[in-house]
Amino acid sequence: MNKDSCEIYCYDEEKVNRIQGELEKEDIFSVAQLFKAIADENRAKITFALYKGEELCVCDIANIIGVTVANASHHLRTLHKQGVVKFRKEGKLSFYSLDDEHVEQLFVIGLTHMKEVQVNV
């Protein structure tokens, strides 16, 4: 018998209906897409670099994470499309930064959580 599963099937109908109603009002798909964008290791590295560097050009990012400028640009487009980063042009340079403090908070919470999980394992 699986210890991480219920041994009998029963559920709290009121709680299930209430939460299902709340779930339908939220844009869970977009939240999943946000986490999916950061879930790639290189994009997580970029997010970390921008968290530490505040604003970096594409060339800086490529060198920090050890990829080509083209590869960094590809990842940055994905992060921008999902609202993780914003960019600005300055002459021929493109500078990126985290979109807002919420993205930074999510990332810091993830880092903190993983440090705690590793301690408790």
Side-chain angles (χ1 to χ4, degrees):
M1 176 62 69
N2 236 349
K3 292 183 179 171
D4 60 354
S5 182
C6 296
E7 294 181 24
I8 61 168
Y9 180 77
C10 70
Y11 66 97
D12 184 329
E13 187 174 0
E14 180 278 324
K15 192 181 289 185
V16 168
N17 290 338
R18 177 178 52 80
I19 295 171
Q20 280 179 335
E22 292 175 22
L23 184 61
E24 290 170 5
K25 295 175 189 168
E26 298 295 337
D27 186 3
I28 298 299
F29 176 80
S30 293
V31 174
Q33 293 302 107
L34 168 68
F35 285 116
K36 186 176 178 180
I38 301 171
D40 175 85
E41 186 176 356
N42 280 332
R43 291 193 291 268
K45 287 178 180 178
I46 290 170
T47 305
F48 179 80
L50 292 173
Y51 159 63
K52 290 297 186 180
E54 295 179 20
E55 184 180 67
L56 299 166
C57 81
V58 178
C59 300
D60 291 334
I61 292 167
N63 279 283
I64 289 168
I65 69 167
V67 298
T68 64
V69 170
N71 188 271
S73 293
H74 168 75
H75 287 301
L76 285 160
R77 277 191 299 277
T78 299
L79 290 169
H80 183 260
K81 192 172 114 179
Q82 296 303 328
V84 176
V85 301
K86 58 187 174 187
F87 77 97
R88 67 178 182 85
K89 288 290 276 187
E90 189 174 298
K92 294 184 177 188
L93 299 175
S94 293
F95 287 91
Y96 283 83
S97 58
L98 295 181
D99 189 66
D100 62 21
E101 70 278 356
H102 298 114
V103 174
E104 182 178 317
Q105 290 170 357
L106 285 170
F107 201 76
V108 170
I109 289 168
L111 288 170
T112 303
H113 174 72
M114 293 317 300
K115 287 176 184 169
E116 289 174 1
V117 168
Q118 290 170 359
V119 167
N120 294 326
V121 172

